[in-house]
Amino acid sequence: MKVLNFGSLNLDYVYDVDHFVREGETLSSTDMNVFCGGKGLNQSVALAKAGVKVYHAGAVGSADGEMLTEALSNVGVDISYIRRYDMPSGHAIIQKNKSGNNCILLYGGANQNIDKEFIKDVLKDFDKGDILLLQNEISNLSFILDEAFAKGIRIVLNPSPINESIFECDLKKISYLILNEIEAADILSVEYKSKEDLIEKLTKSFPDTGLVLTLGEGGSVYVDKNCKIYQGIYPTEVVDTTAAGDTFTGYFIAGLVEGTDIKSALRQASKAASITVSKKGASPSIPFVKEVSTVDD
């Protein structure tokens, strides 16, 4: 079994601010740092640090992409499917407030230059039983999904950010859907009375899909037609929430790859995410599995 992540690679420009910028406001930041990020890169790093061999496919700029490819190769990710183009890499402008929460503005850059021939060229090396991880920060998402499904590749989707590209996809082809409350409500186009109500609506719409709903401080829940499993958080001092969800996703998928039960995969993912939020930055904050093992149950 091989694991392919066809995902974004971004340079994250992180600004420490007293509060998020309001409409019409000019605000000075107290600090600025540049990190490697993008949901795709972060999730590949998390998979690699969890001990999984992962192949990353994506695109970077020829002038500014070396920092991104090095961040992946340094943790053992295979970068032979990353192409370089004469254009800027994707980047994000991230405001981080005193509570460690963030808001993010994305620029797609090279991430939006992934065409159908590139996709076919990558997928020819993967086959039935392999796992494909997708997010929604690259171009031609629905084409990748359809091509992979036709080959019998199992697909895991983290549908973030939610935009029209998601609604162009046949989400019934997804094996596992990992999303938060807002994303779930947007995909379903519904209002919900409670978390249980939302979970019920999700399972009704996706009866044959493994669903992982992250609930912030409420932890997470996995549900499919056979079971429902809740997982709480591991409280820690929050420094920066950037990449917490990506860490959770990577470690949960690592559990699937390694054949662990869902309950154990959720527990490991929650532990890893708790470490991520206690550190600054995106990919640098993602822990190795040895560190995760030190978190008490």
Side-chain angles (χ1 to χ4, degrees):
M1 178 202 305
K2 292 193 287 188
V3 179
L4 169 66
N5 183 0
F6 217 133
S8 58
L9 302 112
N10 290 335
L11 292 168
D12 288 347
Y13 297 88
V14 182
Y15 297 84
D16 290 354
V17 294
D18 180 69
H19 59 269
F20 297 143
V21 178
R22 297 165 294 192
E23 182 177 353
E25 180 183 19
T26 299
L27 182 67
S28 295
S29 64
T30 57
D31 195 14
M32 192 280 281
N33 292 280
V34 182
F35 299 104
C36 293
K39 297 191 74 63
L41 181 145
N42 293 340
Q43 291 174 16
S44 281
V45 169
L47 276 161
K49 287 185 173 182
V52 172
K53 174 65 177 179
V54 57
Y55 299 83
H56 192 103
V60 296
S62 55
D64 61 2
E66 186 173 356
M67 180 179 177
L68 295 166
T69 54
E70 282 186 355
L72 290 172
S73 61
N74 285 344
V75 294
V77 176
D78 187 302
I79 61 171
S80 57
Y81 297 101
I82 295 177
R83 292 190 178 179
R84 292 161 177 79
Y85 295 98
D86 187 20
M87 62 190 305
S89 296
H91 70 253
I93 303 298
I94 301 175
Q95 298 176 55
K96 179 168 70 72
N97 68 14
K98 289 182 175 181
S99 300
N101 293 314
N102 61 60
C103 61
I104 303 173
L105 177 65
L106 287 174
Y107 169 71
N111 295 312
Q112 297 302 313
N113 205 43
I114 294 171
D115 60 28
K116 294 180 179 180
E117 289 306 311
F118 177 20
I119 294 164
K120 289 179 179 179
D121 191 49
V122 171
L123 290 180
K124 66 179 174 56
D125 294 334
F126 297 85
D127 215 332
K128 185 176 182 178
D130 291 337
I131 292 178
L132 170 65
L133 172 59
L134 296 171
Q135 313 82 29
N136 189 30
E137 293 181 346
I138 60 174
S139 53
N140 281 308
L141 180 67
S142 62
F143 184 80
I144 300 172
L145 194 158
D146 291 343
E147 290 288 301
F149 183 80
K151 299 190 70 172
I153 297 172
R154 290 183 292 164
I155 303 165
V156 182
L157 176 65
N158 174 212
S160 178
I162 298 291
N163 57 32
E164 63 277 0
S165 296
I166 289 296
F167 298 100
E168 294 170 0
C169 296
D170 183 356
L171 299 181
K172 303 293 185 182
K173 296 178 177 180
I174 303 298
S175 297
Y176 293 92
L177 195 58
I178 304 175
L179 69 176
N180 62 30
E181 289 180 73
I182 295 173
E183 292 157 355
D186 285 348
I187 283 176
L188 297 174
S189 298
V190 297
E191 295 183 356
Y192 60 98
K193 300 176 183 178
S194 65
K195 292 179 176 62
E196 287 299 323
D197 183 37
L198 180 60
I199 291 167
E200 184 179 343
K201 287 179 166 63
L202 267 178
T203 52
K204 187 174 294 185
S205 295
F206 300 100
D208 299 315
T209 304
L211 301 162
V212 181
L213 184 65
T214 57
L215 304 167
E217 293 183 355
S220 59
V221 58
Y222 172 87
V223 60
D224 60 27
K225 58 188 174 185
N226 298 314
C227 69
K228 182 188 294 184
I229 302 170
Y230 285 92
Q231 173 63 50
I233 64 169
Y234 290 83
T236 188
E237 181 182 355
V238 177
V239 174
D240 185 353
T241 58
T242 307
D246 297 330
T247 301
F248 183 97
T249 295
Y251 267 84
F252 178 78
I253 296 169
L256 299 180
V257 172
E258 293 164 356
T260 60
D261 60 90
I262 295 295
K263 187 174 183 178
S264 297
L266 285 175
R267 185 187 305 119
Q268 191 82 334
S270 184
K271 287 181 178 182
S274 75
I275 296 173
T276 295
V277 301
S278 70
K279 302 177 182 179
K280 286 186 177 182
S283 60
S285 69
I286 298 171
F288 283 94
V289 68
K290 185 177 180 179
E291 185 179 1
V292 177
S293 67
T294 66
V295 179
D296 294 330
D297 287 322

